[in-house]
Amino acid sequence: MFNGEDLEDWTIKIRGHELGENFGNTFRVEDGLLKVRYDQYENGFEEKFGHIFYKDSYSTYLLGAEYRFVGEQIEGGAGWAFRNNGLMLHGQDPATMEIDQDFPNSIEVQLLGGYQQGERPTANVCTPGTHLVMDGDLITNHCTNSHSKAFPGDQWVRVDVLVVRDSLFVHYVNGEEVMHYEKPQLDDGTPLKEGTISLQSESHPTDFRTVELYDLKEYEGDPRALREMVSRLLKERNN
């Protein structure tokens, strides 16, 4: 999805700005990395939450991203946004977002960097405008932690996510499963069976060196073949 050279096939939406406006050069490509930066913000963050959307929507796939947090959080960023980014899945079309909308309705795979002390897992799940079912219970609180370990400092971390329409989401960190759930849905109960994919800008500088997707739609009717393909892909990508 990210070609290491430019942002072709991606569209930017930043709160308070029109679709396609890359305010402050927030999203850029340098040294083969997709970088999220705030050095051109003259008045601090000002809740300019942003997202960069890939051009296509998907239903069943394995998404992989390698990320790291760098530098200092911009002035005005919220405490919870320290070393915080996300993969927004089954999201709404950015053309339908209000100009002052913070986040697209979506399922967020929350990417967190650890504190120097204490536990802070990554690959959690958050639900802007959505709900989900976990262990048979409808989850309506905004964020639920995975059981991953914490990753402090500027180290690279790989997160993979298996998405099977509205029947299954599985999060992996460096090849190990850390969370799973099912039945993603809008707040009104409408099932989410497909949607957009986007990355965030929430006030802490972030680098992505890999954003890749393997479309598994052809395996939707064959659970065994799907499991075998996912197992093979995870081994290949995490070795």
Side-chain angles (χ1 to χ4, degrees):
M1 300 175 76
F2 170 53
N3 62 20
E5 299 179 356
D6 54 43
L7 297 179
E8 184 177 1
D9 297 330
W10 295 82
T11 299
I12 294 165
K13 176 65 182 77
I14 294 175
R15 183 179 182 272
H17 296 269
E18 297 293 340
L19 180 66
E21 180 183 349
N22 190 8
F23 172 80
N25 197 25
T26 302
F27 297 97
R28 63 187 77 162
V29 179
E30 297 174 341
D31 305 319
L33 303 176
L34 196 167
K35 296 185 176 183
V36 183
R37 294 292 188 271
Y38 309 95
D39 53 293
Q40 297 179 30
Y41 284 43
E42 296 181 355
N43 300 308
F45 188 59
E46 297 184 314
E47 296 188 339
K48 292 187 181 296
F49 300 103
H51 298 80
I52 183 167
F53 291 80
Y54 193 64
K55 64 176 182 177
D56 297 323
S57 294
Y58 294 92
S59 60
T60 299
Y61 55 89
L62 184 68
L63 175 70
E66 294 177 273
Y67 72 93
R68 68 179 178 186
F69 295 100
V70 297
E72 301 297 326
Q73 184 181 22
I74 183 175
E75 182 179 353
W80 55 262
F82 171 80
R83 292 183 177 265
N84 189 338
N85 203 295
L87 309 174
M88 318 298 281
L89 311 183
H90 276 14
Q92 74 182 98
D93 183 333
T96 68
M97 291 179 65
E98 300 292 335
I99 193 166
D100 287 327
Q101 187 172 337
D102 291 343
F103 310 102
N105 296 329
S106 56
I107 298 295
E108 176 187 352
V109 180
Q110 185 187 51
L111 309 178
L112 295 180
Y115 298 115
Q116 293 305 315
Q117 295 182 347
E119 295 301 318
R120 197 185 193 213
T122 190
N124 309 311
V125 62
C126 298
T127 52
T130 58
H131 300 318
L132 54 86
V133 173
M134 186 178 296
D135 298 326
D137 295 324
L138 180 67
I139 305 299
T140 59
N141 55 294
H142 183 54
C143 291
T144 302
N145 284 350
S146 77
H147 58 263
S148 88
K149 67 178 185 179
F151 294 91
D154 295 352
Q155 62 186 299
W156 288 103
V157 181
R158 182 176 181 98
V159 169
D160 292 279
V161 189
L162 171 63
V163 177
V164 185
R165 290 179 63 81
D166 62 338
S167 62
L168 181 66
F169 277 56
V170 186
H171 299 188
Y172 305 88
V173 176
N174 293 339
E176 297 184 4
E177 182 180 334
V178 298
M179 165 175 277
H180 66 270
Y181 49 91
E182 59 187 1
K183 297 180 180 178
Q185 55 196 266
L186 295 175
D187 285 352
D188 64 6
T190 301
L192 287 173
K193 299 182 179 181
E194 63 180 329
T196 59
I197 295 171
S198 60
L199 315 176
Q200 289 189 304
S201 58
E202 289 193 305
S203 73
H204 203 114
T206 313
D207 291 339
F208 291 90
R209 67 180 178 188
T210 301
V211 184
E212 55 188 356
L213 180 143
Y214 196 101
D215 193 342
L216 298 170
K217 187 176 180 63
E218 65 181 289
Y219 298 97
E220 286 180 349
D222 191 338
R224 180 177 178 179
L226 177 64
R227 288 193 299 269
E228 291 175 351
M229 177 58 75
V230 170
S231 178
R232 181 172 69 80
L233 290 171
L234 288 172
K235 288 179 181 179
E236 291 176 354
R237 294 177 174 187
N238 288 278
N239 287 333

